[in-house]
């Protein structure tokens, strides 16, 4: 597969990466390391069912020697999503349903608006003018806060409402994965030397993928389309956590 990616020139600037520790944000982290002179990561502990990702986000950033901040904001108090309300089961949908099924119950109400607002506040404090996130409008077309028009609208709002914006140091929000399919996201990461061994995606919060949730299915399909084995599965096999090679 031949995929071309536009890599912007290295910017003499600090970037804040919104980092869940999943496959998409791990790709974003490597993209930011390639494109900026200083990179800081921000992970949200928002009461997610898959809170194991916090521990793995810490492992990934530690291995890369990248500063990592965890911010606690309990969206479980709001609920309304299978990811934050443990009484709502994580759906197990067919691939065709994932692609055409509308906004799923794994949508967390206005999560990316909330995260971007908090990221902007933190970026302002640490003097980072660039915010990078792994929003993607292709595989999760049902999430309205993953679309480019929303990201651009948030960028305008943040620049209107912050001291940095008012003083002529506007923020730029980068969404390098917004139009990429899962296999293209993985290919981009691999071209940047990404190691996905510790990146978790499962909505059920398991180190060993459940293989049934939307996120596990999309990830598996991405690696399958590239004809490669997921680094995570390679590591789990190596460590004897998977009985047989998947
Ligand atoms: Zn899963």
């Amino acid at each position: 597969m031949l995929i071309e990616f536009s890599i912007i020139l290295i910017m003499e600037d600090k970037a804040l990466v919104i980092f869940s520790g999943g496959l998409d944000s791990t790709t974003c982290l490597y993209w930011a390391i390639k494109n900026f002179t200083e990179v800081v990561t921000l992970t949200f502990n928002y009461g997610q069912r898959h809170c194991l990702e916090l521990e793995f986000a810490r492992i990934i950033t530690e291995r890369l020697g990248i500063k990592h901040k965890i911010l606690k904001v309990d969206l479980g108090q709001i609920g309304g999503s299978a990811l934050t309300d443990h009484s709502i089961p994580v759906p197990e949908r067919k691939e065709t349903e994932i692609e055409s099924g509308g906004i799923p119950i794994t949508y967390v109400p206005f999560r990316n608006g909330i995260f971007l607002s908090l990221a902007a506040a933190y970026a302002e404090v640490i003097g980072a003018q660039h915010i990078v996130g792994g929003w993607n409008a292709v595989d999760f077309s049902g999430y309205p806060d993953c679309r480019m028009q929303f990201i651009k609208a948030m960028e305008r709002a943040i620049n209107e409402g912050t001291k940095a914006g008012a003083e002529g140091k506007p923020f730029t929000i980068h969404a390098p994965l917004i139009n990429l399919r899962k296999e293209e996201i993985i290919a981009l990461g691999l071209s940047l030397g990404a190691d996905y061994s510790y990146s978790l995606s499962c909505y059920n919060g398991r180190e060993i993928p459940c293989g049934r949730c939307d996120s596990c299915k999309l990830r598996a399909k991405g690696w399958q389309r590239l004809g490669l084995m997921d680094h995570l599965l390679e590591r789990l096999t190596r460590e004897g956590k998977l009985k047989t090679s998947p």
Side-chain angles (χ1 to χ4, degrees):
M1 179 184 299
L2 180 66
I3 303 168
E4 288 184 22
F5 302 108
S6 58
I7 302 289
I8 55 178
L9 291 172
I10 289 186
M11 297 187 201
E12 296 282 335
D13 261 324
K14 190 189 276 191
L16 178 65
V17 178
I18 300 175
F19 185 63
S20 72
L23 187 138
D24 294 350
S25 68
T26 297
T27 307
C28 275
L29 176 55
Y30 279 87
W31 182 88
I33 290 169
K34 176 87 176 173
N35 287 295
F36 298 94
T37 49
E38 190 178 352
V39 174
V40 176
T41 50
L42 178 63
T43 300
F44 292 99
N45 178 359
Y46 63 96
Q48 61 269 55
R49 181 189 289 267
H50 45 308
C51 58
L52 190 67
E53 70 181 17
L54 298 171
E55 172 61 15
F56 280 76
R58 190 189 60 73
I59 294 172
I60 294 168
T61 50
E62 206 171 84
R63 284 163 63 96
L64 288 168
I66 295 285
K67 191 178 173 204
H68 183 221
K69 165 100 173 164
I70 296 180
L71 200 59
K72 193 167 184 182
V73 47
D74 186 6
L75 299 184
Q77 294 174 97
I78 294 173
S81 167
L83 298 192
T84 52
D85 181 342
H86 292 210
S87 68
I88 304 174
V90 173
E92 295 178 7
R93 303 188 297 165
K94 295 189 181 110
E95 271 179 34
T96 47
E97 288 174 319
I98 296 172
E99 282 167 9
S100 62
I103 300 174
I105 192 64
T106 48
Y107 164 73
V108 180
F110 204 52
R111 177 177 58 182
N112 290 332
I114 295 163
F115 285 4
L116 261 174
S117 301
L118 292 168
Y122 184 55
E124 186 163 33
V125 170
I126 63 170
Q129 272 185 267
H130 298 272
I131 299 170
V132 182
W135 311 285
N136 180 257
V138 178
D139 285 326
F140 278 106
S141 53
Y143 291 174
D145 57 349
C146 285
R147 295 176 300 183
M148 200 60 199
Q149 59 261 48
F150 168 72
I151 304 297
K152 282 289 157 196
M154 281 300 290
E155 185 182 84
R156 285 195 298 278
I158 288 166
N159 285 327
E160 286 293 333
T162 50
K163 180 169 174 274
E167 290 181 346
K169 291 179 183 169
F171 294 99
T172 304
I173 301 178
H174 301 268
L177 315 183
I178 198 91
N179 291 318
L180 301 184
R181 298 199 65 88
K182 193 60 84 184
E183 61 271 25
E184 294 173 318
I185 292 170
I186 298 166
L188 169 61
L190 295 176
S191 76
L192 297 167
D195 176 359
Y196 293 109
S197 307
Y198 291 92
S199 82
L200 304 186
S201 300
C202 182
Y203 280 157
N204 283 306
R206 298 177 187 177
E207 184 183 8
I208 299 169
C210 79
R212 298 189 305 273
C213 70
D214 292 3
S215 191
C216 278
K217 283 181 179 162
L218 286 166
R219 177 171 175 149
K221 198 169 78 175
W223 285 97
Q224 197 178 23
R225 284 189 169 165
L226 287 173
L228 297 171
M229 190 171 178
D230 189 333
H231 292 172
L232 172 65
L233 300 182
E234 278 179 350
R235 178 178 66 79
L236 292 171
T237 304
R238 214 166 42 239
E239 293 175 354
K241 291 178 178 171
L242 283 181
K243 286 195 176 77
T244 52
S245 290

